[in-house]
Amino acid sequence: MASKSIRRATGDDVPVLTQIRNDAHARKVMYGDYAWGKDGHGFSENWVRNNVSQSEVYVVELEGTPVATFSLVLDEDKHWGSQEPIAGYVHGLSVRKDFNGRGLGSLMLDWCGDKISALNRRFIRLDCAGHNAKLCAYYESLGFIRVGQYAEPEAGGYVWSLYEKFANPLRKRPSARLLITTPKRRVLLFRFAHKSGPLAGEAYWATPGGGVEHGETFADAAIRELREETGIRKARLSQPMGRRELLLQLPDGEHVFAVEQYFVVDTDTESISRDSWTADEKEVMADHQWWSREELSSTTETIYPEGLVQMLDNAGVFSAERPL
């Protein structure tokens, strides 16, 4: 469950954005697509800097590392001609070398669809060189439909395929996360190890918890998840003490906008039961461990949420005043 985020690009991003654009350009050239220039042309930092200053350019980060970029245009697009303001246009979709095949393209387009829908526009639109069959097939696999063409008027000009699909927003997934602690001032984490599906190969430690079901409050979900995932029934649940919103890919591959609320759970036992686990949970949840602050601070393991120690400190979980 690698952490992915999208933010507006700044001038400080220009060097890495130039690299990402040129990585994507080289990949296009491999398929005989010279829409961004022939082999050896590429993008200069000056061009990228102007693009960042004049357009809505965004950066995708994976675990804090910039790995992709795109721009979103809300004005008219020359390839589409004069249009009513019912769409947003995606340009420059680029992924860094060695990061293809990780779902970043669909993540960016889902994010754009969510933003476009929030502006009460109906369509997300893009174009690509019509002869780049691989790229056209990729967009079609994501649900885009070719609705027209644009032929450049100059001799030898490209014919562009025009694609669009409805801009449906990302589904919001509310979930309750549990910071379960005992008088020994240790916190329970589960180890998740994905062996198949879109998250195959990923392994990390994370807090117990799960999605809020229909008709539940966050607190209701916290109590239910506590019982289902640990079997613990005697515990004291705090008021919500933290909130996190992030883009998240679920094990089935769906990207969602996760809205998480965190609850401190005080219990007197470090014994848990797996009797209520589903088959999927038994397959993915490989281990559990009660962690001290020192262990969390020194481990090299991947732990979610990021900043967990600070969150626990803020909640007073490791405070010396807590009774042993």
Side-chain angles (χ1 to χ4, degrees):
M1 191 177 60
S3 174
K4 301 167 185 170
S5 61
I6 297 176
R7 62 173 174 81
R8 184 77 177 264
T10 70
D12 292 338
D13 298 308
V14 167
V16 70
L17 292 186
T18 303
Q19 177 186 343
I20 294 171
R21 289 298 300 257
N22 283 323
D23 286 347
H25 169 248
R27 189 172 178 83
K28 278 181 174 286
V29 169
M30 285 174 53
Y31 296 102
D33 184 345
Y34 305 117
W36 292 354
K38 294 189 176 181
D39 190 15
H41 288 185
F43 297 90
S44 67
E45 284 197 5
N46 188 53
W47 186 94
V48 174
R49 184 173 291 105
N50 287 337
N51 191 40
V52 168
S53 66
Q54 297 171 9
S55 304
E56 284 192 27
V57 179
Y58 294 89
V59 183
V60 181
E61 293 184 328
L62 180 65
E63 301 290 357
T65 299
V67 294
T69 184
F70 63 93
S71 61
L72 181 61
V73 176
L74 298 175
D75 298 326
E76 289 185 357
D77 184 285
K78 70 175 184 178
H79 286 184
W80 290 78
S82 180
Q83 298 278 331
E84 294 293 323
I86 58 173
Y89 303 86
V90 181
H91 292 285
L93 201 74
S94 303
V95 175
R96 195 171 188 169
K97 184 180 179 182
D98 298 329
F99 286 90
N100 296 97
R102 302 197 187 191
L104 295 172
S106 59
L107 171 70
M108 290 185 277
L109 292 169
D110 285 346
W111 185 93
C112 288
D114 192 42
K115 185 175 178 66
I116 291 166
S117 180
L119 295 171
N120 294 318
R121 299 194 179 198
R122 298 202 306 272
F123 298 105
I124 174 173
R125 289 173 173 168
L126 50 81
D127 55 44
C128 66
H131 69 274
N132 190 335
K134 187 174 182 67
L135 188 55
C136 289
Y138 171 71
Y139 289 133
E140 290 167 10
S141 75
L142 296 179
F144 283 86
I145 299 173
R146 191 172 73 170
V147 294
Q149 292 183 331
Y150 170 78
E152 293 179 345
E154 60 269 19
Y158 270 23
V159 176
W160 297 81
S161 292
L162 307 181
Y163 284 98
E164 74 175 16
K165 74 173 183 177
F166 285 105
N168 295 318
L170 289 176
R171 179 172 70 89
K172 285 189 176 181
R173 182 180 184 268
S175 65
R177 310 303 306 180
L178 310 177
L179 306 175
I180 305 174
T181 181
T182 70
K184 294 181 180 180
R185 294 197 287 272
R186 302 201 298 181
V187 173
L188 176 64
L189 297 180
F190 286 115
R191 184 175 184 272
F192 293 77
H194 297 274
K195 299 176 182 178
S196 60
L199 300 181
E202 295 198 25
Y204 50 88
W205 292 87
T207 56
V212 177
E213 296 182 353
H214 180 70
E216 283 187 326
T217 65
F218 281 94
D220 292 337
I223 294 169
R224 176 181 51 77
E225 290 288 342
L226 176 67
R227 294 173 178 173
E228 291 177 353
E229 295 195 353
T230 71
I232 295 173
R233 294 182 176 274
K234 292 184 178 180
R236 295 168 296 280
L237 184 73
S238 74
Q239 293 295 315
M241 52 70 53
R243 180 184 174 95
R244 198 168 71 126
E245 298 181 352
L246 70 157
L247 295 170
L248 181 68
Q249 186 177 23
L250 301 180
D252 64 3
E254 181 188 9
H255 288 100
V256 297
F257 184 71
V259 180
E260 301 177 339
Q261 282 193 10
Y262 285 79
F263 298 82
V264 174
V265 179
D266 289 302
T267 182
D268 295 327
T269 180
E270 290 191 357
S271 175
I272 73 166
S273 169
R274 304 184 180 197
D275 291 346
S276 297
W277 286 16
T278 66
D280 288 341
E281 287 171 337
K282 290 177 181 178
E283 180 181 350
V284 174
M285 294 164 70
D287 199 1
H288 75 276
Q289 179 177 325
W290 294 87
W291 296 70
S292 68
R293 189 186 192 285
E294 291 72 23
E295 289 169 333
L296 286 172
S297 299
S298 62
T299 185
T300 58
E301 297 275 355
T302 300
I303 293 181
Y304 294 111
E306 297 160 343
L308 176 60
V309 172
Q310 184 63 54
M311 182 183 292
L312 293 166
D313 283 344
N314 292 343
V317 169
F318 296 127
S319 171
E321 287 73 29
R322 297 185 72 247
L324 290 173

